[in-house]
Amino acid sequence: GAGVSQTPSNKVTEKGKYVELRCDPISGHTALYWYRQSLGQGPEFLIYFQGTGAADDSGLPNDRFFAVRPEGSVSTLKIQRTERGDSAVYLCASSQGRGTDTQYFGPGTRLTVL
Amino acid sequence: DQQVKQNSPSLSVQEGRISILNCDYTNSMFDYFLWYKKYPAEGPTFLISISSIKDKNEDGRFTVFLNKSAKHLSLHIVPSQPGDSAVYFCAASERGAGSYQLTFGKGTKLSVIP
């Protein structure tokens, strides 16, 4: 079946602009995660959804970052007033049910803030 | 403060030989460990995992060893194949504490030479 998909694959924006990154999880997966990977680093956790609710948002770096999952499927990561330091690959993962299930990752969205 | 450390940024191995990738962690609350493989422009792909109640888990050519007293785990690939060339990430979580976020190391780039 189809894996996790993310759009766009690349996003270039200017400092101060607003961006939205979209994640389509594997069909039927109720858990969804966002991670951020900066150059030379491993992925860093941002937020975890179980269904429609954010079960753990402890990784969001500040209040410019926000994520939603209104219908328990597609999720959107929103970044306001982008800064050059936000440039990274944003990865989405989903898992079948409980948070203990294996996380399957999408290909990521490469965000570049000029 | 890096809670999961992969101290070797790169490793080269001859085809057919054993590849050993190492990972150390500092958080004694980690109770579940995973290895992911990542090709360029793709998301991480799950390889193998191990719970802290075990010291070894095997799946085909891949074996993960866990030494809890040393807070060390390793991934063995035998025999190594050119298609194994990728970046390997070690990850950990505190499932017992109800946290499903993964904490990743910086990765080790494995090159398998034909």
Coordinates of all heavy atoms in Angstrom, one line a residue, chain A residues 22-93:
Chain A
R22 N 2.6 19.7 4.7 CA 1.5 18.7 4.8 C 2.0 17.3 4.9 O 3.0 16.9 4.2 CB 0.6 18.8 3.6 CG -0.6 17.8 3.5 CD -1.3 17.9 2.2 NE -2.2 16.8 2.0 CZ -3.5 16.9 2.0 NH1 -4.1 18.0 2.3 NH2 -4.3 15.8 1.8
C23 N 1.3 16.5 5.6 CA 1.7 15.0 5.8 C 0.4 14.2 5.6 O -0.6 14.4 6.3 CB 2.3 14.8 7.2 SG 2.6 13.0 7.5
D24 N 0.5 13.2 4.7 CA -0.6 12.2 4.6 C 0.0 10.9 5.2 O 0.9 10.3 4.6 CB -0.9 12.0 3.1 CG -1.9 13.0 2.6 OD1 -3.1 12.8 2.8 OD2 -1.4 14.1 2.1
P25 N -0.6 10.4 6.3 CA 0.0 9.2 6.9 C -0.5 8.0 6.1 O -1.4 8.0 5.2 CB -0.6 9.2 8.3 CG -1.9 9.9 8.1 CD -1.7 11.0 7.0
I26 N 0.0 6.8 6.5 CA -0.5 5.5 5.9 C -1.9 5.4 6.4 O -2.3 5.6 7.5 CB 0.4 4.4 6.4 CG1 1.8 4.5 5.8 CG2 -0.2 3.0 6.1 CD1 2.8 3.6 6.4
S27 N -2.7 4.9 5.4 CA -4.2 4.8 5.7 C -4.4 3.9 6.9 O -3.9 2.8 7.0 CB -4.9 4.2 4.5 OG -6.2 4.0 4.7
G28 N -5.2 4.4 7.8 CA -5.6 3.6 9.0 C -4.7 3.8 10.2 O -5.0 3.4 11.3
H29 N -3.5 4.5 10.0 CA -2.6 4.8 11.1 C -3.2 5.9 11.9 O -3.5 7.0 11.4 CB -1.2 5.2 10.6 CG -0.4 4.0 10.2 ND1 1.0 4.0 10.0 CD2 -0.8 2.7 10.0 CE1 1.4 2.9 9.7 NE2 0.4 2.0 9.6
T30 N -3.3 5.7 13.2 CA -3.9 6.7 14.1 C -2.9 7.6 14.8 O -3.2 8.7 15.2 CB -4.8 6.0 15.2 OG1 -4.0 5.2 16.0 CG2 -5.9 5.2 14.6
A31 N -1.6 7.1 14.8 CA -0.6 7.9 15.4 C 0.2 8.6 14.4 O 0.6 8.0 13.3 CB 0.3 7.1 16.3
L32 N 0.6 9.9 14.6 CA 1.4 10.7 13.6 C 2.4 11.5 14.3 O 2.1 12.1 15.4 CB 0.4 11.5 12.8 CG 1.0 12.3 11.6 CD1 0.0 12.4 10.5 CD2 1.5 13.7 12.0
Y33 N 3.6 11.6 13.8 CA 4.7 12.3 14.4 C 5.3 13.3 13.4 O 5.4 13.0 12.2 CB 5.8 11.3 14.8 CG 5.3 10.1 15.6 CD1 4.7 9.0 14.9 CD2 5.4 10.0 17.0 CE1 4.2 7.9 15.6 CE2 5.0 8.9 17.7 CZ 4.4 7.9 17.0 OH 3.9 6.8 17.7
W34 N 5.8 14.4 13.9 CA 6.6 15.3 13.2 C 8.0 15.3 13.8 O 8.2 15.4 15.0 CB 6.1 16.7 13.1 CG 4.9 16.9 12.2 CD1 3.6 16.9 12.6 CD2 4.9 17.2 10.8 NE1 2.8 17.1 11.5 CE2 3.6 17.3 10.4 CE3 6.0 17.3 9.9 CZ2 3.3 17.6 9.0 CZ3 5.6 17.6 8.6 CH2 4.3 17.7 8.2
Y35 N 9.0 15.3 12.9 CA 10.4 15.5 13.3 C 11.1 16.5 12.4 O 10.6 16.7 11.3 CB 11.2 14.1 13.2 CG 10.8 13.0 14.2 CD1 9.7 12.2 13.9 CD2 11.5 12.8 15.3 CE1 9.3 11.2 14.8 CE2 11.2 11.8 16.2 CZ 10.0 11.0 15.9 OH 9.7 10.0 16.8
R36 N 12.2 17.0 12.9 CA 13.0 18.0 12.1 C 14.4 17.5 12.1 O 15.0 17.2 13.1 CB 12.9 19.4 12.7 CG 13.8 20.4 12.1 CD 13.4 21.8 12.6 NE 13.9 22.1 13.9 CZ 13.9 23.3 14.5 NH1 13.4 24.3 13.8 NH2 14.3 23.4 15.7
Q37 N 15.0 17.5 10.9 CA 16.4 17.0 10.7 C 17.2 18.2 10.1 O 17.1 18.5 9.0 CB 16.5 15.8 9.9 CG 17.9 15.2 9.8 CD 18.0 13.9 9.1 OE1 17.1 13.5 8.4 NE2 19.2 13.2 9.3
S38 N 18.1 18.7 10.9 CA 19.1 19.7 10.4 C 20.3 19.0 9.9 O 20.6 17.9 10.1 CB 19.5 20.7 11.6 OG 18.3 21.3 12.1
L39 N 21.1 19.8 9.1 CA 22.2 19.2 8.4 C 23.2 18.6 9.4 O 23.6 19.3 10.4 CB 22.9 20.3 7.6 CG 23.9 19.9 6.5 CD1 23.2 19.0 5.5 CD2 24.6 21.1 5.9
G40 N 23.6 17.3 9.2 CA 24.6 16.7 10.0 C 24.0 16.2 11.3 O 24.8 15.7 12.2
Q41 N 22.7 16.3 11.5 CA 22.1 15.8 12.8 C 21.1 14.7 12.5 O 20.7 14.5 11.4 CB 21.3 17.0 13.4 CG 22.2 18.2 13.7 CD 23.2 18.0 14.7 OE1 23.0 17.4 15.7 NE2 24.5 18.5 14.4
G42 N 20.7 14.0 13.6 CA 19.6 13.0 13.4 C 18.3 13.8 13.6 O 18.3 14.9 13.9
P43 N 17.2 13.1 13.2 CA 15.9 13.7 13.4 C 15.6 14.1 14.8 O 16.0 13.3 15.7 CB 15.0 12.6 12.9 CG 15.8 11.8 12.0 CD 17.1 11.8 12.6
E44 N 15.0 15.2 15.0 CA 14.6 15.7 16.4 C 13.1 15.7 16.4 O 12.4 16.3 15.6 CB 15.1 17.1 16.6 CG 16.6 17.2 16.8 CD 17.0 18.6 17.1 OE1 17.0 19.4 16.1 OE2 17.3 19.0 18.2
F45 N 12.5 15.2 17.5 CA 11.1 15.1 17.7 C 10.5 16.5 17.9 O 11.0 17.4 18.6 CB 10.8 14.3 18.9 CG 9.4 14.3 19.4 CD1 8.4 13.5 18.7 CD2 9.0 15.1 20.5 CE1 7.1 13.6 19.2 CE2 7.7 15.1 20.9 CZ 6.7 14.4 20.3
L46 N 9.3 16.7 17.2 CA 8.6 17.9 17.4 C 7.3 17.7 18.1 O 7.0 18.3 19.2 CB 8.3 18.6 16.0 CG 9.5 19.0 15.2 CD1 9.1 19.6 13.9 CD2 10.3 20.1 16.0
I47 N 6.4 16.8 17.6 CA 5.1 16.7 18.1 C 4.5 15.3 17.7 O 4.9 14.7 16.7 CB 4.1 17.8 17.6 CG1 2.8 17.8 18.3 CG2 4.0 17.8 16.1 CD1 1.9 19.0 18.0
Y48 N 3.6 14.8 18.6 CA 3.0 13.5 18.3 C 1.5 13.6 18.5 O 1.0 14.2 19.5 CB 3.6 12.5 19.4 CG 2.8 11.3 19.7 CD1 2.2 10.4 18.8 CD2 2.6 10.9 21.1 CE1 1.5 9.3 19.1 CE2 1.8 9.8 21.4 CZ 1.3 9.0 20.5 OH 0.6 7.9 20.8
F49 N 0.8 13.1 17.5 CA -0.7 13.1 17.6 C -1.2 11.7 17.7 O -0.7 10.7 17.1 CB -1.3 13.6 16.2 CG -1.2 15.1 16.0 CD1 -0.1 15.6 15.4 CD2 -2.2 15.9 16.5 CE1 0.0 17.0 15.2 CE2 -2.1 17.3 16.3 CZ -1.0 17.8 15.6
Q50 N -2.2 11.5 18.6 CA -3.0 10.2 18.6 C -4.4 10.6 18.2 O -5.1 11.3 19.0 CB -2.9 9.6 20.0 CG -3.6 8.3 20.1 CD -2.9 7.2 19.2 OE1 -3.5 6.9 18.2 NE2 -1.8 6.8 19.5
G51 N -4.8 10.2 17.1 CA -6.1 10.7 16.5 C -6.0 12.2 16.2 O -5.0 12.6 15.6
T52 N -6.9 12.9 16.7 CA -7.0 14.4 16.4 C -6.2 15.2 17.3 O -5.9 16.4 17.1 CB -8.4 14.9 16.3 OG1 -9.0 14.7 17.6 CG2 -9.2 14.1 15.3
G53 N -5.9 14.6 18.5 CA -5.3 15.4 19.5 C -3.8 15.3 19.6 O -3.2 14.2 19.4
A54 N -3.1 16.4 20.0 CA -1.7 16.4 20.2 C -1.4 15.8 21.6 O -1.6 16.4 22.6 CB -1.1 17.8 20.1
A55 N -0.8 14.5 21.6 CA -0.6 13.8 22.8 C 0.7 14.3 23.5 O 0.9 14.1 24.7 CB -0.5 12.3 22.6
D56 N 1.6 14.8 22.6 CA 2.9 15.2 23.2 C 3.5 16.3 22.2 O 3.8 16.0 21.1 CB 3.9 14.0 23.2 CG 5.3 14.4 23.8 OD1 5.5 15.6 24.1 OD2 6.1 13.5 24.0
D57 N 3.5 17.5 22.6 CA 4.1 18.6 21.8 C 5.3 19.2 22.4 O 5.7 20.4 22.2 CB 3.0 19.7 21.5 CG 2.6 20.4 22.8 OD1 3.1 20.1 23.9 OD2 1.8 21.4 22.7
S58 N 6.0 18.4 23.2 CA 7.1 18.9 24.0 C 8.3 19.3 23.1 O 9.2 20.0 23.6 CB 7.6 17.9 25.0 OG 8.0 16.7 24.4
G59 N 8.4 18.8 21.9 CA 9.5 19.1 21.0 C 9.4 20.4 20.2 O 10.3 20.8 19.5
L60 N 8.2 21.0 20.2 CA 8.0 22.2 19.4 C 9.0 23.3 20.0 O 8.9 23.6 21.2 CB 6.6 22.7 19.4 CG 5.6 21.8 18.7 CD1 4.2 22.4 18.9 CD2 5.9 21.7 17.3
P61 N 9.8 23.9 19.2 CA 10.9 24.8 19.7 C 10.3 26.1 20.3 O 10.9 26.7 21.2 CB 11.8 25.1 18.5 CG 11.0 24.7 17.3 CD 10.0 23.7 17.7
N62 N 9.3 26.6 19.7 CA 8.7 27.9 20.3 C 7.3 28.1 19.7 O 6.8 27.2 19.0 CB 9.6 29.1 19.8 CG 9.9 29.1 18.4 OD1 9.0 29.1 17.5 ND2 11.2 29.0 18.0
D63 N 6.7 29.2 20.0 CA 5.3 29.3 19.6 C 5.1 29.7 18.2 O 3.9 30.0 17.7 CB 4.5 30.3 20.6 CG 5.2 31.7 20.5 OD1 6.1 31.9 19.7 OD2 4.8 32.6 21.3
R64 N 6.2 29.8 17.4 CA 6.0 30.0 16.0 C 5.6 28.7 15.3 O 5.1 28.8 14.1 CB 7.3 30.6 15.4 CG 7.7 31.9 15.9 CD 8.9 32.5 15.1 NE 10.1 31.6 15.3 CZ 10.6 30.8 14.3 NH1 10.0 30.7 13.2 NH2 11.7 30.1 14.5
F65 N 5.8 27.6 15.9 CA 5.5 26.3 15.4 C 4.1 25.8 15.9 O 3.9 25.8 17.1 CB 6.6 25.3 15.7 CG 7.9 25.5 15.0 CD1 8.7 26.6 15.4 CD2 8.2 24.7 13.9 CE1 9.9 26.8 14.7 CE2 9.4 24.9 13.3 CZ 10.3 26.0 13.7
F66 N 3.3 25.3 15.0 CA 2.0 24.8 15.4 C 1.6 23.7 14.4 O 2.0 23.7 13.3 CB 1.0 25.9 15.3 CG -0.3 25.5 15.9 CD1 -0.5 25.4 17.3 CD2 -1.5 25.3 15.1 CE1 -1.7 25.1 17.9 CE2 -2.7 25.0 15.7 CZ -2.8 24.9 17.1
A67 N 1.0 22.7 14.9 CA 0.5 21.6 14.0 C -0.9 21.2 14.3 O -1.3 21.3 15.5 CB 1.5 20.3 14.2
V68 N -1.6 20.8 13.3 CA -3.0 20.3 13.5 C -3.2 19.0 12.7 O -2.5 18.7 11.8 CB -4.0 21.4 13.0 CG1 -3.9 22.7 13.8 CG2 -3.7 21.7 11.5
R69 N -4.3 18.4 13.2 CA -4.7 17.1 12.5 C -6.2 17.0 12.8 O -6.7 16.1 13.5 CB -4.0 15.9 13.2 CG -4.0 14.7 12.3 CD -3.4 13.5 13.0 NE -3.4 12.3 12.2 CZ -3.3 11.1 12.7 NH1 -3.2 10.9 14.0 NH2 -3.3 10.0 11.8
P70 N -7.0 17.8 12.1 CA -8.4 18.0 12.5 C -9.3 16.8 12.3 O -10.3 16.7 13.0 CB -8.8 19.2 11.5 CG -7.8 19.2 10.4 CD -6.5 18.7 11.0
E71 N -9.0 15.9 11.4 CA -9.9 14.8 11.1 C -9.2 13.5 11.5 O -9.7 12.4 11.1 CB -10.4 14.8 9.7 CG -11.2 16.0 9.4 CD -11.7 16.1 8.0 OE1 -11.3 15.2 7.2 OE2 -12.4 17.0 7.6
G72 N -8.0 13.6 12.1 CA -7.3 12.4 12.5 C -6.6 11.6 11.4 O -6.1 10.5 11.6
S73 N -6.4 12.3 10.3 CA -5.7 11.7 9.2 C -4.5 12.7 8.8 O -3.5 12.7 9.4 CB -6.6 11.4 8.0 OG -5.9 10.8 7.0
V74 N -4.8 13.5 7.8 CA -3.8 14.5 7.3 C -3.4 15.4 8.4 O -4.3 15.9 9.2 CB -4.4 15.2 6.1 CG1 -3.5 16.4 5.7 CG2 -4.6 14.3 4.9
S75 N -2.1 15.8 8.4 CA -1.6 16.8 9.4 C -0.9 17.9 8.7 O -0.3 17.7 7.6 CB -0.7 16.1 10.4 OG -0.2 17.1 11.3
T76 N -1.0 19.1 9.2 CA -0.3 20.2 8.7 C 0.6 20.8 9.8 O 0.1 21.1 10.9 CB -1.3 21.3 8.2 OG1 -2.2 20.7 7.2 CG2 -0.5 22.4 7.5
L77 N 1.8 21.0 9.5 CA 2.8 21.7 10.3 C 2.9 23.2 9.8 O 3.1 23.4 8.7 CB 4.2 21.1 10.3 CG 5.2 21.7 11.2 CD1 4.9 21.6 12.7 CD2 6.6 21.1 10.9
K78 N 2.6 24.1 10.7 CA 2.6 25.5 10.4 C 3.7 26.3 11.1 O 3.9 26.1 12.3 CB 1.2 26.1 10.8 CG 0.0 25.3 10.2 CD -1.3 25.9 10.6 CE -2.4 25.0 10.1 NZ -3.7 25.7 10.1
I79 N 4.4 27.0 10.3 CA 5.5 27.8 10.9 C 5.3 29.3 10.5 O 5.2 29.7 9.4 CB 6.9 27.4 10.4 CG1 7.1 25.9 10.5 CG2 8.0 28.1 11.1 CD1 8.3 25.3 9.8
Q80 N 5.2 30.1 11.6 CA 5.0 31.6 11.4 C 6.3 32.3 11.5 O 7.3 31.8 12.1 CB 4.1 32.1 12.5 CG 2.7 31.5 12.5 CD 1.8 32.0 13.6 OE1 2.3 32.2 14.7 NE2 0.6 32.3 13.4
R81 N 6.4 33.4 10.8 CA 7.6 34.3 10.9 C 8.9 33.5 10.8 O 9.7 33.5 11.7 CB 7.5 35.1 12.2 CG 6.3 35.9 12.4 CD 6.3 36.7 13.7 NE 6.6 35.9 14.9 CZ 5.6 35.2 15.5 NH1 4.4 35.2 15.1 NH2 6.0 34.6 16.6
T82 N 9.0 32.8 9.7 CA 10.1 31.9 9.5 C 11.5 32.6 9.7 O 11.6 33.8 9.3 CB 10.1 31.2 8.2 OG1 10.0 32.2 7.1 CG2 9.0 30.2 8.1
E83 N 12.4 31.8 10.2 CA 13.8 32.3 10.5 C 14.7 31.4 9.7 O 14.4 30.3 9.4 CB 14.1 32.3 12.0 CG 13.2 33.2 12.8 CD 13.5 33.2 14.3 OE1 14.4 32.4 14.7 OE2 12.8 33.9 15.0
R84 N 15.9 31.9 9.4 CA 16.9 31.1 8.7 C 17.2 29.8 9.4 O 17.5 28.8 8.8 CB 18.2 31.9 8.4 CG 17.9 33.1 7.4 CD 19.2 33.7 6.9 NE 18.8 34.8 5.9 CZ 18.6 36.0 6.3 NH1 18.8 36.4 7.6 NH2 18.3 36.9 5.4
G85 N 17.2 29.9 10.7 CA 17.5 28.7 11.5 C 16.4 27.6 11.4 O 16.6 26.5 11.9
D86 N 15.3 27.9 10.8 CA 14.2 26.9 10.6 C 14.5 26.0 9.4 O 13.8 25.0 9.2 CB 12.9 27.6 10.4 CG 12.4 28.4 11.6 OD1 12.9 28.2 12.7 OD2 11.6 29.4 11.4
S87 N 15.5 26.4 8.6 CA 15.9 25.6 7.4 C 16.3 24.2 7.9 O 17.2 24.0 8.7 CB 17.0 26.2 6.7 OG 16.6 27.5 6.2
A88 N 15.6 23.2 7.3 CA 15.9 21.8 7.7 C 15.0 20.9 6.9 O 14.2 21.4 6.1 CB 15.5 21.6 9.2
V89 N 15.1 19.6 7.0 CA 14.2 18.6 6.4 C 13.2 18.3 7.5 O 13.5 17.9 8.6 CB 14.9 17.4 5.9 CG1 13.9 16.4 5.4 CG2 15.9 17.7 4.8
Y90 N 11.9 18.5 7.2 CA 10.8 18.2 8.1 C 10.2 16.8 7.8 O 9.7 16.6 6.7 CB 9.8 19.3 8.1 CG 10.3 20.5 8.8 CD1 11.1 21.4 8.1 CD2 10.0 20.8 10.1 CE1 11.7 22.5 8.7 CE2 10.6 21.9 10.7 CZ 11.4 22.8 10.0 OH 11.9 23.9 10.7
L91 N 10.3 15.9 8.7 CA 9.9 14.5 8.5 C 8.6 14.2 9.2 O 8.4 14.6 10.4 CB 11.0 13.5 9.0 CG 12.3 13.6 8.2 CD1 13.4 12.9 9.1 CD2 12.2 12.8 6.9
C92 N 7.8 13.5 8.6 CA 6.5 13.0 9.2 C 6.6 11.5 9.3 O 7.2 10.8 8.4 CB 5.3 13.5 8.3 SG 3.7 12.9 8.9
A93 N 6.1 10.9 10.3 CA 6.0 9.5 10.5 C 4.6 9.1 11.0 O 3.9 9.9 11.6 CB 7.1 9.0 11.4

